[in-house]
Amino acid sequence: MTTKQTVLQELPADLDRDRLPKHVAVIMDGNGRWAKRQGLPRILGHRRGVDALKELLRCCRDWGIKALTAYAFSTENWGRPLEEVDFLMTLFERVLRQELDEMIRENVRIKFVGNLLALPSSLQAEISRAVEATRNNPGIQFTVATNYGGRQEILQACRAIAFQVQQGLIQPEEIDEALFESHLYTAGISDPDLLIRTSGEMRISNFLLWQVAYSELYITDILWPDFDREAFHLALRAYQQRDRRFGKIAKG
Ligand code: IPE
Ligand code: IPE
Ligand code: MG
């Protein structure tokens, strides 16, 4: 750990503790480019990306942020070369196994969102184990989007609601935002206040389409493996300078 990171163990003095985002979501992009710049194979970028995520989770805990959601694998990422997909699935499984004890110790409550049934069965088993073991933990809500697609999430919610209507359990007029949200993978988790994307890409890439309706967007050129506490500090500072109007007019 660098000296700078040690200094940032506590919430930086220029941040207002009372105006921190409750929920931060991250599109962890740029692992491949990070590796390429170092002349390394892409998979090593993914490995370093895990270290960056572990550090961000710790940082959220240290600074008092209640929920973190990370985009780990999109429904579109199956289109990558087989070796890369295989490496990622094995990596997720290994990291989960290795980190579970620490997550339990740190009171992390982990959840996975996405179409989990399409994941390798050994990964599904590791996911179930981790979710079960941390279910009642009172600490940070850590959500990992794996085989996640925002459109797919919305469609599966529509199907479930249509089925309930067909069964006569609810009337179409009863479908409101609260009911709809209760059928999303993220049911029970507040919408992200801040959405961070690394590596400079200015797009959402099918992430949390419903939930980011009023999130503040922050895009940095930093590649994901280099996203450290200082980079997060800058993102939070930018967030605290925003005026979240939600369609109303500016205060004062
Ligand atoms: C993000 O990094 C990780 C995943 C999508 C799994 P990338 O692998 O997309 O890295 P770039 O965008 O190719 O640099
Ligand atoms: C988004 O990154 C998905 C994840 C970070 C898991 P991608 O690298 O897949 O996004 P695109 O292809 O640049 O839109
Ligand atoms: Mg990418």
Side-chain angles (χ1 to χ4, degrees):
M1 201 185 265
T2 63
T3 325
K4 213 176 189 181
Q5 300 227 341
T6 316
V7 170
L8 291 173
Q9 204 70 45
E10 290 183 9
L11 185 71
D14 61 347
L15 295 179
D16 178 352
R17 191 174 293 281
D18 298 329
R19 288 176 47 248
L20 286 173
K22 287 189 185 62
H23 181 179
V24 174
V26 278
I27 301 178
M28 311 185 288
D29 199 12
N31 292 350
R33 276 163 283 174
W34 181 91
K36 193 167 175 207
R37 276 188 202 168
Q38 328 270 323
L40 300 168
R42 291 178 57 85
I43 56 169
L44 291 185
H46 295 315
R47 202 173 278 165
R48 285 296 291 269
V50 170
D51 296 335
L53 179 59
K54 275 161 49 181
E55 185 53 20
L56 179 61
L57 180 64
R58 273 189 221 111
C59 184
C60 285
R61 182 206 57 201
D62 291 346
W63 293 359
I65 287 163
K66 304 271 182 283
L68 173 68
T69 296
Y71 203 4
F73 193 87
S74 75
T75 45
E76 288 70 33
N77 289 146
W78 294 109
R80 295 187 177 203
L82 188 62
E83 314 82 76
E84 181 168 343
V85 171
D86 277 351
F87 177 85
L88 284 167
M89 295 299 150
T90 312
L91 179 69
F92 298 154
E93 200 177 314
R94 196 173 56 229
V95 170
L96 256 182
R97 201 163 33 236
Q98 284 168 357
E99 299 301 319
L100 183 57
D101 284 347
E102 179 164 352
M103 287 194 291
I104 293 172
R105 242 188 344 265
E106 299 291 344
N107 277 321
V108 174
R109 186 166 64 255
I110 195 169
K111 181 182 167 81
F112 284 78
V113 291
N115 177 8
L116 307 180
L117 295 173
L119 297 172
S121 54
S122 51
L123 174 57
Q124 286 186 48
E126 218 53 67
I127 287 176
S128 305
R129 201 162 76 95
V131 171
E132 243 349 279
T134 65
R135 185 179 292 285
N136 297 316
N137 283 358
I140 186 168
Q141 170 68 58
F142 177 41
T143 306
V144 187
T146 314
N147 192 22
Y148 175 88
R151 289 184 170 181
Q152 290 82 346
E153 179 184 38
I154 289 170
L155 284 177
Q156 64 78 36
C158 290
R159 266 185 231 112
I161 294 168
F163 186 71
Q164 291 196 344
V165 171
Q166 190 187 40
Q167 301 289 302
L169 298 170
I170 52 168
Q171 297 300 313
E173 314 77 76
E174 293 176 71
I175 304 170
D176 57 10
E177 290 189 13
L179 182 110
F180 193 79
E181 278 169 358
S182 73
H183 288 277
L184 293 176
Y185 300 135
T186 52
I189 300 173
S190 66
D191 291 339
D193 301 291
L194 171 63
L195 172 63
I196 298 172
R197 182 166 188 152
T198 54
S199 88
E201 306 295 353
M202 306 272 184
R203 54 179 172 263
I204 301 290
S205 301
N206 205 11
F207 191 42
L208 301 177
L209 295 180
W210 170 280
Q211 297 87 339
V212 299
Y214 263 106
S215 305
E216 293 297 325
L217 308 183
Y218 179 84
I219 292 167
T220 169
D221 285 336
I222 294 174
L223 302 175
W224 177 252
D226 289 330
F227 190 84
D228 59 8
R229 285 185 183 228
E230 181 52 35
F232 189 43
H233 173 201
L234 295 179
L236 292 174
R237 203 159 65 192
Y239 172 82
Q240 293 199 331
Q241 281 158 3
R242 305 279 177 89
D243 179 15
R244 302 190 75 190
R245 288 191 289 278
F246 298 99
K248 304 185 181 89
I249 58 171
K251 286 188 207 99

mmCIF file of all heavy atoms in Angstrom, residues 56-78:
data_model
loop_
_atom_site.group_PDB
_atom_site.id
_atom_site.type_symbol
_atom_site.label_atom_id
_atom_site.label_comp_id
_atom_site.label_asym_id
_atom_site.label_seq_id
_atom_site.Cartn_x
_atom_site.Cartn_y
_atom_site.Cartn_z
ATOM 1 N N LEU A 56 -11.618 -1.006 -3.431
ATOM 2 C CA LEU A 56 -12.753 -0.068 -3.428
ATOM 3 C C LEU A 56 -13.793 -0.490 -2.381
ATOM 4 O O LEU A 56 -14.363 0.362 -1.688
ATOM 5 C CB LEU A 56 -13.396 0.014 -4.820
ATOM 6 C CG LEU A 56 -14.606 0.946 -4.916
ATOM 7 C CD1 LEU A 56 -14.231 2.392 -4.583
ATOM 8 C CD2 LEU A 56 -15.248 0.883 -6.299
ATOM 9 N N LEU A 57 -14.002 -1.786 -2.255
ATOM 10 C CA LEU A 57 -14.959 -2.277 -1.252
ATOM 11 C C LEU A 57 -14.502 -1.874 0.155
ATOM 12 O O LEU A 57 -15.286 -1.370 0.958
ATOM 13 C CB LEU A 57 -15.092 -3.805 -1.374
ATOM 14 C CG LEU A 57 -16.050 -4.484 -0.400
ATOM 15 C CD1 LEU A 57 -17.486 -4.027 -0.620
ATOM 16 C CD2 LEU A 57 -15.973 -6.021 -0.553
ATOM 17 N N ARG A 58 -13.202 -2.058 0.421
ATOM 18 C CA ARG A 58 -12.651 -1.662 1.727
ATOM 19 C C ARG A 58 -12.788 -0.168 1.942
ATOM 20 O O ARG A 58 -13.114 0.305 3.021
ATOM 21 C CB ARG A 58 -11.166 -2.024 1.807
ATOM 22 C CG ARG A 58 -10.943 -3.418 2.286
ATOM 23 C CD ARG A 58 -9.439 -3.646 2.554
ATOM 24 N NE ARG A 58 -9.090 -4.961 2.083
ATOM 25 C CZ ARG A 58 -8.310 -5.226 1.039
ATOM 26 N NH1 ARG A 58 -7.738 -4.267 0.347
ATOM 27 N NH2 ARG A 58 -8.083 -6.469 0.680
ATOM 28 N N CYS A 59 -12.523 0.576 0.879
ATOM 29 C CA CYS A 59 -12.585 2.030 0.966
ATOM 30 C C CYS A 59 -14.011 2.489 1.276
ATOM 31 O O CYS A 59 -14.218 3.363 2.124
ATOM 32 C CB CYS A 59 -12.083 2.620 -0.347
ATOM 33 S SG CYS A 59 -11.988 4.392 -0.323
ATOM 34 N N CYS A 60 -14.996 1.884 0.618
ATOM 35 C CA CYS A 60 -16.398 2.237 0.889
ATOM 36 C C CYS A 60 -16.707 1.974 2.357
ATOM 37 O O CYS A 60 -17.361 2.778 3.016
ATOM 38 C CB CYS A 60 -17.342 1.433 0.003
ATOM 39 S SG CYS A 60 -17.375 1.998 -1.694
ATOM 40 N N ARG A 61 -16.228 0.853 2.840
ATOM 41 C CA ARG A 61 -16.465 0.530 4.251
ATOM 42 C C ARG A 61 -15.790 1.571 5.157
ATOM 43 O O ARG A 61 -16.409 2.125 6.056
ATOM 44 C CB ARG A 61 -15.909 -0.870 4.541
ATOM 45 C CG ARG A 61 -16.134 -1.353 5.954
ATOM 46 C CD ARG A 61 -15.082 -2.369 6.360
ATOM 47 N NE ARG A 61 -13.740 -1.816 6.237
ATOM 48 C CZ ARG A 61 -12.631 -2.539 6.138
ATOM 49 N NH1 ARG A 61 -12.688 -3.847 6.104
ATOM 50 N NH2 ARG A 61 -11.439 -1.962 6.056
ATOM 51 N N ASP A 62 -14.528 1.891 4.872
ATOM 52 C CA ASP A 62 -13.785 2.855 5.702
ATOM 53 C C ASP A 62 -14.439 4.235 5.698
ATOM 54 O O ASP A 62 -14.385 4.957 6.678
ATOM 55 C CB ASP A 62 -12.347 3.022 5.186
ATOM 56 C CG ASP A 62 -11.514 1.773 5.413
ATOM 57 O OD1 ASP A 62 -11.946 0.887 6.178
ATOM 58 O OD2 ASP A 62 -10.419 1.669 4.805
ATOM 59 N N TRP A 63 -14.995 4.614 4.555
ATOM 60 C CA TRP A 63 -15.508 5.978 4.411
ATOM 61 C C TRP A 63 -17.010 6.076 4.697
ATOM 62 O O TRP A 63 -17.596 7.149 4.610
ATOM 63 C CB TRP A 63 -15.197 6.532 3.015
ATOM 64 C CG TRP A 63 -13.723 6.731 2.785
ATOM 65 C CD1 TRP A 63 -12.720 6.489 3.673
ATOM 66 C CD2 TRP A 63 -13.096 7.209 1.590
ATOM 67 N NE1 TRP A 63 -11.504 6.789 3.101
ATOM 68 C CE2 TRP A 63 -11.697 7.225 1.818
ATOM 69 C CE3 TRP A 63 -13.569 7.602 0.326
ATOM 70 C CZ2 TRP A 63 -10.780 7.635 0.863
ATOM 71 C CZ3 TRP A 63 -12.658 8.013 -0.638
ATOM 72 C CH2 TRP A 63 -11.276 8.027 -0.370
ATOM 73 N N GLY A 64 -17.641 4.950 4.964
ATOM 74 C CA GLY A 64 -19.046 4.992 5.381
ATOM 75 C C GLY A 64 -20.061 4.989 4.246
ATOM 76 O O GLY A 64 -21.163 5.521 4.396
ATOM 77 N N ILE A 65 -19.699 4.377 3.114
ATOM 78 C CA ILE A 65 -20.671 4.240 2.017
ATOM 79 C C ILE A 65 -21.382 2.896 2.172
ATOM 80 O O ILE A 65 -20.738 1.865 2.390
ATOM 81 C CB ILE A 65 -19.964 4.407 0.657
ATOM 82 C CG1 ILE A 65 -19.629 5.893 0.508
ATOM 83 C CG2 ILE A 65 -20.820 3.915 -0.513
ATOM 84 C CD1 ILE A 65 -18.630 6.222 -0.511
ATOM 85 N N LYS A 66 -22.709 2.935 2.105
ATOM 86 C CA LYS A 66 -23.505 1.782 2.536
ATOM 87 C C LYS A 66 -23.693 0.694 1.480
ATOM 88 O O LYS A 66 -23.990 -0.443 1.809
ATOM 89 C CB LYS A 66 -24.906 2.245 2.978
ATOM 90 C CG LYS A 66 -24.901 3.303 4.063
ATOM 91 C CD LYS A 66 -24.891 2.636 5.438
ATOM 92 C CE LYS A 66 -24.927 3.634 6.571
ATOM 93 N NZ LYS A 66 -23.626 4.280 6.819
ATOM 94 N N ALA A 67 -23.576 1.065 0.199
ATOM 95 C CA ALA A 67 -23.821 0.063 -0.846
ATOM 96 C C ALA A 67 -22.913 0.293 -2.051
ATOM 97 O O ALA A 67 -22.705 1.430 -2.486
ATOM 98 C CB ALA A 67 -25.291 0.107 -1.274
ATOM 99 N N LEU A 68 -22.380 -0.812 -2.568
ATOM 100 C CA LEU A 68 -21.517 -0.768 -3.753
ATOM 101 C C LEU A 68 -21.999 -1.835 -4.729
ATOM 102 O O LEU A 68 -22.216 -2.988 -4.328
ATOM 103 C CB LEU A 68 -20.060 -1.060 -3.349
ATOM 104 C CG LEU A 68 -19.057 -1.204 -4.502
ATOM 105 C CD1 LEU A 68 -18.837 0.138 -5.211
ATOM 106 C CD2 LEU A 68 -17.704 -1.721 -3.980
ATOM 107 N N THR A 69 -22.207 -1.438 -5.970
ATOM 108 C CA THR A 69 -22.569 -2.417 -7.003
ATOM 109 C C THR A 69 -21.520 -2.376 -8.110
ATOM 110 O O THR A 69 -21.170 -1.290 -8.587
ATOM 111 C CB THR A 69 -23.961 -2.112 -7.592
ATOM 112 O OG1 THR A 69 -24.934 -2.248 -6.555
ATOM 113 C CG2 THR A 69 -24.321 -3.079 -8.717
ATOM 114 N N ALA A 70 -20.995 -3.529 -8.489
ATOM 115 C CA ALA A 70 -19.937 -3.589 -9.497
ATOM 116 C C ALA A 70 -20.375 -4.450 -10.679
ATOM 117 O O ALA A 70 -20.924 -5.541 -10.488
ATOM 118 C CB ALA A 70 -18.672 -4.160 -8.870
ATOM 119 N N TYR A 71 -20.118 -3.938 -11.884
ATOM 120 C CA TYR A 71 -20.456 -4.660 -13.116
ATOM 121 C C TYR A 71 -19.270 -5.555 -13.457
ATOM 122 O O TYR A 71 -18.207 -5.067 -13.837
ATOM 123 C CB TYR A 71 -20.675 -3.621 -14.219
ATOM 124 C CG TYR A 71 -21.519 -4.035 -15.402
ATOM 125 C CD1 TYR A 71 -22.162 -5.259 -15.488
ATOM 126 C CD2 TYR A 71 -21.690 -3.135 -16.473
ATOM 127 C CE1 TYR A 71 -22.950 -5.581 -16.584
ATOM 128 C CE2 TYR A 71 -22.483 -3.447 -17.574
ATOM 129 C CZ TYR A 71 -23.107 -4.665 -17.626
ATOM 130 O OH TYR A 71 -23.881 -4.973 -18.709
ATOM 131 N N ALA A 72 -19.447 -6.859 -13.289
ATOM 132 C CA ALA A 72 -18.328 -7.781 -13.486
ATOM 133 C C ALA A 72 -18.379 -8.483 -14.840
ATOM 134 O O ALA A 72 -17.338 -8.785 -15.427
ATOM 135 C CB ALA A 72 -18.326 -8.829 -12.378
ATOM 136 N N PHE A 73 -19.605 -8.754 -15.330
ATOM 137 C CA PHE A 73 -19.714 -9.500 -16.601
ATOM 138 C C PHE A 73 -21.094 -9.227 -17.186
ATOM 139 O O PHE A 73 -22.108 -9.446 -16.525
ATOM 140 C CB PHE A 73 -19.543 -11.001 -16.334
ATOM 141 C CG PHE A 73 -19.316 -11.821 -17.575
ATOM 142 C CD1 PHE A 73 -18.036 -12.010 -18.085
ATOM 143 C CD2 PHE A 73 -20.397 -12.399 -18.240
ATOM 144 C CE1 PHE A 73 -17.840 -12.768 -19.239
ATOM 145 C CE2 PHE A 73 -20.199 -13.153 -19.392
ATOM 146 C CZ PHE A 73 -18.921 -13.346 -19.889
ATOM 147 N N SER A 74 -21.105 -8.726 -18.418
ATOM 148 C CA SER A 74 -22.389 -8.386 -19.036
ATOM 149 C C SER A 74 -22.894 -9.537 -19.891
ATOM 150 O O SER A 74 -22.117 -10.429 -20.273
ATOM 151 C CB SER A 74 -22.232 -7.134 -19.910
ATOM 152 O OG SER A 74 -21.548 -7.455 -21.112
ATOM 153 N N THR A 75 -24.179 -9.493 -20.217
ATOM 154 C CA THR A 75 -24.737 -10.533 -21.087
ATOM 155 C C THR A 75 -24.043 -10.498 -22.460
ATOM 156 O O THR A 75 -24.001 -11.504 -23.157
ATOM 157 C CB THR A 75 -26.259 -10.333 -21.271
ATOM 158 O OG1 THR A 75 -26.524 -8.947 -21.524
ATOM 159 C CG2 THR A 75 -27.029 -10.745 -20.023
ATOM 160 N N GLU A 76 -23.485 -9.340 -22.808
ATOM 161 C CA GLU A 76 -22.790 -9.207 -24.094
ATOM 162 C C GLU A 76 -21.354 -9.742 -24.033
ATOM 163 O O GLU A 76 -20.741 -10.029 -25.062
ATOM 164 C CB GLU A 76 -22.758 -7.734 -24.527
ATOM 165 C CG GLU A 76 -24.104 -7.183 -24.989
ATOM 166 C CD GLU A 76 -25.120 -7.017 -23.858
ATOM 167 O OE1 GLU A 76 -24.713 -6.712 -22.718
ATOM 168 O OE2 GLU A 76 -26.324 -7.219 -24.119
ATOM 169 N N ASN A 77 -20.809 -9.874 -22.827
ATOM 170 C CA ASN A 77 -19.416 -10.323 -22.703
ATOM 171 C C ASN A 77 -19.212 -11.789 -23.094
ATOM 172 O O ASN A 77 -18.076 -12.225 -23.300
ATOM 173 C CB ASN A 77 -18.877 -10.084 -21.283
ATOM 174 C CG ASN A 77 -18.635 -8.623 -20.957
ATOM 175 O OD1 ASN A 77 -18.803 -8.184 -19.822
ATOM 176 N ND2 ASN A 77 -18.230 -7.832 -21.938
ATOM 177 N N TRP A 78 -20.300 -12.548 -23.261
ATOM 178 C CA TRP A 78 -20.151 -13.932 -23.767
ATOM 179 C C TRP A 78 -19.564 -13.920 -25.169
ATOM 180 O O TRP A 78 -19.035 -14.935 -25.629
ATOM 181 C CB TRP A 78 -21.497 -14.656 -23.812
ATOM 182 C CG TRP A 78 -22.126 -14.899 -22.470
ATOM 183 C CD1 TRP A 78 -23.232 -14.268 -21.980
ATOM 184 C CD2 TRP A 78 -21.719 -15.820 -21.451
ATOM 185 N NE1 TRP A 78 -23.526 -14.741 -20.717
ATOM 186 C CE2 TRP A 78 -22.621 -15.700 -20.364
ATOM 187 C CE3 TRP A 78 -20.669 -16.752 -21.347
ATOM 188 C CZ2 TRP A 78 -22.509 -16.455 -19.192
ATOM 189 C CZ3 TRP A 78 -20.569 -17.499 -20.175
ATOM 190 C CH2 TRP A 78 -21.477 -17.352 -19.130
#
